[in-house]
Amino acid sequence: MKKVFAATALAAVFLSHTAEADIGFNAIGDMFTYNGFGTAGVARSDTDGGEFVQEFQNLGAGKNFDWKTDSKLGLQGTFAPTTWLSGTIQGLSEERFFNHISTQIEWAYIKISPLNGLSFRGGKMALPAFLVSDSRNVGYANNWVRAPDEVYGPNQFDTFQGFDVAYRHAIGKYSVTVGALAGQTTPSDFMVYPGVVGVILGHELRGYNASVDLDLATIRVSRVTSAVAVLIDNAIIAKGLVYTFTSIGATYDHNNVVGQAEFIEKRTDGSIAYSFNGWYALGGYRLGKWLPYAIYASGERPGGAGGTVPELTRHTESVGVRLDWFKSVDFKAQLDHITGFGGGFPNNTPFVNVQPGFNNKANVLTLTADFVF
C-alpha cells in the first residue's frame, strides 16, 4: 500500500511539473490537471465501553482522542488529450478494515463524451448508490463531519469495476440526468466476530439512477442489484444471493436555508440478516460564514424468521457547526448522541471492542478541518 501511495504522490508531482510545460503541441500543458482533498480530524467519546467507528473500521474513538477515525487524504489526476476523451485516477488514504491507514486506488477509469451531455466510462469507479456518492469522501463538499452511518454504512460496496453511461438534458435552468451501469463490485471485508473475517463478493452488477436539478433543489433516485457470495475464512457459506440497494434523496439550498434527506432500503434475497432500512434528515441555517446544523438518522434491521431474528434499531442525533473562514478550507465541530444496535458486532453497530455492561450508547465529539487544493 505504501508503494501505491508513493506512486500516487509521485504522479501528482509529475503532473504539476508537466502542467507548467507547454511545447505548443495541442496545448500539452492543458491536458494534465490534478487536485486533492483531505480531512484532519480528532474524535472523542464519553465512554470506553465501546469504541466508535465508521463502517468497517475495527479500532475507533474512546475517551482518548482518536485521529484516524475521520482523517483522510486523496489525490486525483486527469489526462485529457481531447475535449471528448479523458482518463482519471484517484488515490485515497484512510483507516480501513485492517486497523491502520492504508492507500487504495479508488478510481481509475477512461471517459468518452462523443456528444454534448452524453458520456461513457470504463474502469474502477464509485458505485452511485447515494445522493453524494462521488463526493462522499470530500469533507469540504459536505456540510456534515461524516455521512450518517445509518444510511451510508449498510451498503456493502463503495466501488465497482465495469462500465457506465450517463446522459444529461438541460431544460432551461433545470436539468435531468439518467444513468446505467454494469460490472462487478470490489470485494468487501467485514468482521463476523473478533478473529474471524468475512468477504462479500458481487458480480452481475446492474444499476440505474436518475436525478433532477431544480436549481434550488436536487432529487435523486438509484437502484443497484447484484448477485453476491459470502465467504468466511475463505469458505463459501452462501452464493447466488440477489443483493438489491435502493435509495432516494433530496437537497435544498435557498436564502441561507439548507436541507438534505435520504432514504435507503437494502435486501439480500430474503436473508433477514442482510436486510436494512435507513434514513436521515439534515437542516441548517447560514449566518455569514457560520452554518449551524442538526441531523437525525435512524436505521432498522427488520425482524422475522418466525421470531427467531429480532428487529434491531439504531439512531443518532447530531448537532454541529461549519465555519468557512478561509478559501478552500472549512472547520467543523459535531456532537453525536448515538444509540447503537445491541450485540457489539461491527456489522450491526457503530461500536467495536465492546466491554461487558456497555449499554450501546455514547456521546461523540468530533473536530475536523477539511481542505481542497
Side-chain angles (χ1 to χ4, degrees), residues 4-338:
V4 173
F5 177 76
T8 305
L10 182 61
V13 173
F14 171 76
L15 293 177
S16 68
H17 287 288
T18 305
E20 296 174 356
D22 186 348
I23 63 175
F25 179 75
N26 197 26
I28 292 284
D30 295 333
M31 294 182 186
F32 297 91
T33 58
Y34 71 91
N35 52 59
F37 58 89
T39 295
V42 292
R44 184 181 187 275
S45 174
D46 65 348
T47 178
D48 281 329
E51 297 177 8
F52 169 74
V53 295
Q54 289 198 69
E55 295 188 42
F56 305 111
Q57 295 173 342
N58 293 325
L59 293 176
K63 282 191 174 181
N64 294 322
F65 279 101
D66 180 83
W67 65 272
K68 293 190 293 185
T69 302
D70 294 282
S71 297
K72 62 190 65 178
L73 177 65
L75 294 172
Q76 180 174 310
T78 297
F79 173 64
T82 74
T83 58
W84 57 269
L85 176 64
S86 65
T88 298
I89 185 169
Q90 181 191 100
L92 179 66
S93 297
E94 64 176 352
E95 184 178 28
R96 302 179 191 271
F97 182 77
F98 294 104
N99 305 337
H100 60 273
I101 296 289
S102 63
T103 302
Q104 290 184 183
I105 299 299
E106 294 289 301
W107 301 352
Y109 63 82
I110 294 175
K111 179 179 179 180
I112 299 174
S113 303
L115 300 173
N116 185 33
L118 178 65
S119 66
F120 300 89
R121 298 188 303 175
K124 183 179 182 180
M125 297 163 282
L127 187 64
F130 298 108
L131 189 63
V132 292
S133 293
D134 285 347
S135 60
R136 175 183 178 182
N137 290 313
V138 185
Y140 185 80
N142 297 286
N143 292 319
W144 52 46
V145 162
R146 66 182 70 87
D149 195 59
E150 287 82 353
V151 169
Y152 284 71
N155 184 32
Q156 294 295 147
F157 310 108
D158 292 330
T159 59
F160 77 102
Q161 297 93 37
F163 304 90
D164 72 3
V165 56
Y167 178 71
R168 179 181 180 274
H169 179 67
I171 307 172
K173 63 179 181 179
Y174 307 136
S175 66
V176 176
T177 303
V178 294
L181 63 89
Q184 63 183 19
T185 64
T186 303
S188 174
D189 297 320
F190 69 97
M191 182 178 288
V192 182
Y193 48 83
V196 178
V197 177
V199 179
I200 298 180
L201 305 174
H203 56 94
E204 298 180 10
L205 175 70
R206 302 291 183 269
Y208 313 92
N209 58 81
S211 63
V212 180
D213 186 347
L214 301 174
D215 190 26
L216 303 180
T218 299
I219 302 171
R220 188 178 188 281
V221 296
S222 71
R223 183 177 178 86
V224 173
T225 63
S226 177
V228 299
V230 181
L231 289 74
I232 296 181
D233 279 352
N234 296 319
I236 297 177
I237 65 167
K239 64 179 179 178
L241 301 177
V242 178
Y243 172 92
T244 303
F245 194 91
T246 305
S247 72
I248 179 170
T251 63
Y252 176 84
D253 193 337
H254 182 58
N255 287 343
N256 297 324
V257 176
V258 175
Q260 186 168 317
E262 201 164 359
F263 169 82
I264 63 100
E265 179 185 79
K266 180 178 78 169
R267 295 292 183 268
T268 306
D269 201 29
S271 176
I272 296 171
Y274 296 107
S275 296
F276 199 90
N277 301 324
W279 67 274
Y280 72 82
L282 175 152
Y285 190 86
R286 289 194 181 89
L287 300 169
K289 295 183 179 181
W290 299 83
L291 174 64
Y293 61 87
I295 308 171
Y296 181 82
S298 178
E300 172 196 20
R301 191 189 78 177
T308 59
V309 177
E311 176 181 310
L312 298 176
T313 61
R314 54 175 291 192
H315 52 87
T316 302
E317 299 92 22
S318 307
V319 292
V321 62
R322 170 176 174 154
L323 172 60
D324 287 276
W325 211 344
F326 305 106
K327 182 180 180 181
S328 303
V329 179
D330 73 48
F331 301 93
K332 294 174 187 159
Q334 183 170 306
L335 178 63
D336 303 298
H337 176 66
I338 304 166

